[in-house]
Amino acid sequence: MLVEMGLSGARLQPLCARSLSLTSSQNVSETPPAQADSTFKVTMVPGDGVGPELMTAVKEVFKAADVPVEFEEFHLSEVQNMASEEKLEEVLSSMKNNRVAIKGKIHTPMEYKGELASYEMRLRRKLDLFANVVHVNSLPGYSTRHNNLDLVIIREQTEGEYSSLEHESVSGVVACLKIITREKSRRIAKFAFDYATKKGRSKVTAVHKANIMKLGDGLFLQSCAEVAELYPKIKYESIIIDNCCMQLVQNPYQFDVLVMPNLYGNIIDNLAAGLVGGAGVVPGESYSAEYAVFETGARHPFAQAVGRNIANPTAMLLTASNMLRHLNLEYHSNMVSEAVKKVIKQGKVRDDCVCLCDHV
């Protein structure tokens, strides 16, 4: 199912403008704010696959809603010969200056060409984007096995299995190092408990495999337990990653906030997205102490859909809405998110095309 907003640029803006004009009855101020004195600058990296098409949807919706945001757009791609140290530094410079960015998926080739760390991973490390947050929320209008889901996945994304430390010790034997540190484990655990406290959540669950990786995941689990003692009003539990996957499918309502190391977070993000409609409907964001980068919750380039007009813009539009809320543009944030949700709830969707979630 594809929301009607994704059909084409020509049909996108009229539909969104019409939807936006009807949001006053849905917890949006009936009186728009006074004209902003200044415009917020935001770095935009469309990425690969359908990323540029999704960003076009964002720009057209922002134009229709008169959102006071100016994008500094950079094209960074490892598969389209648009990646270099100079280009990476340009993107980083813009992100550091603006402190807020929105980006699509920068596809990582599987072939080894002398550099283990992808540009995606290098961006995260350079900005220290240690916390990835994915809010998995059911959208009325999408028919799924589980309804009324509301859970949050918090993923540490600067170490773990994605440390880019691999070597071939002898021919045919490759060692891939998973790095877990007390400092970063405690940091992500504190972020998760602070998030739960701020958002009025009642429980944090640490996801691990400490029964097998006794030292690495054992340290992560111990760090989470130590931090949990500082938050007596938040219930704390832990669960093994494989059981967590099964429990999410069988009874996802038992979870509230989940915190986990890098690889587990990547897997759970995608599994949970599938529970509410797929990669095309779940927003996400990544934080450091200074910067915020907004991107879809389940990251896929969906290259086979390029130019076919079938990519679902919901996730990217909701991501953009969250970005506006981060910028304290509450009126515009609500305007965009309520318009998207209204279109879906009213059934203005297409069944004649293949959904993004069927192809990832």
Side-chain angles (χ1 to χ4, degrees), residues 195-331:
Y195 182 97
T197 301
K198 181 179 179 180
K199 301 293 185 179
R201 300 268 174 172
S202 60
K203 182 171 71 171
V204 172
T205 303
V207 182
H208 66 94
K209 192 65 176 174
N211 59 322
I212 301 299
M213 287 170 276
K214 301 181 187 299
L215 298 181
D217 279 23
L219 177 58
F220 177 82
L221 191 59
Q222 178 187 354
S223 299
C224 289
E226 290 171 353
V227 171
E229 293 180 358
L230 305 175
Y231 298 82
K233 294 183 179 180
I234 304 294
K235 184 179 181 181
Y236 170 69
E237 295 180 348
S238 64
I239 188 170
I240 295 173
I241 176 63
D242 36 341
N243 185 31
C244 180
C245 291
M246 180 180 69
Q247 294 298 327
L248 276 168
V249 173
Q250 289 186 330
N251 179 25
Y253 303 100
Q254 64 186 287
F255 297 110
D256 193 353
V257 175
L258 299 98
V259 60
M260 61 204 74
N262 213 332
L263 178 61
Y264 309 155
N266 197 357
I267 295 169
I268 296 298
D269 282 347
N270 286 268
L271 188 158
L275 297 177
V276 294
V281 301
V282 179
E285 55 237 41
S286 296
Y287 296 101
S288 72
E290 298 181 74
Y291 312 113
V293 176
F294 293 81
E295 51 196 332
T296 55
R299 304 162 186 165
H300 298 278
F302 196 27
Q304 63 269 41
V306 173
R308 294 170 58 195
N309 218 13
I310 63 172
N312 191 336
T314 302
M316 191 61 79
L317 289 172
L318 293 178
T319 296
S321 171
N322 291 342
M323 180 190 74
L324 295 179
R325 185 167 292 109
H326 177 77
L327 293 170
N328 291 320
L329 294 171
E330 287 284 343
Y331 175 84

Side-chain angles (χ1 to χ4, degrees), residues 35 53 62 69 72 86 101 109 113 131 181 188 192 202 245 259 269 283 292 302 317 339 344 350 358:
Q35 186 69 31
E53 297 176 31
F62 276 28
V69 165
E72 291 183 358
E86 182 180 3
K113 298 181 179 179
T181 63
I188 195 65
S202 60
C245 291
V259 60
D269 282 347
F302 196 27
L317 289 172
I344 296 170
R350 293 168 53 193
D358 293 330

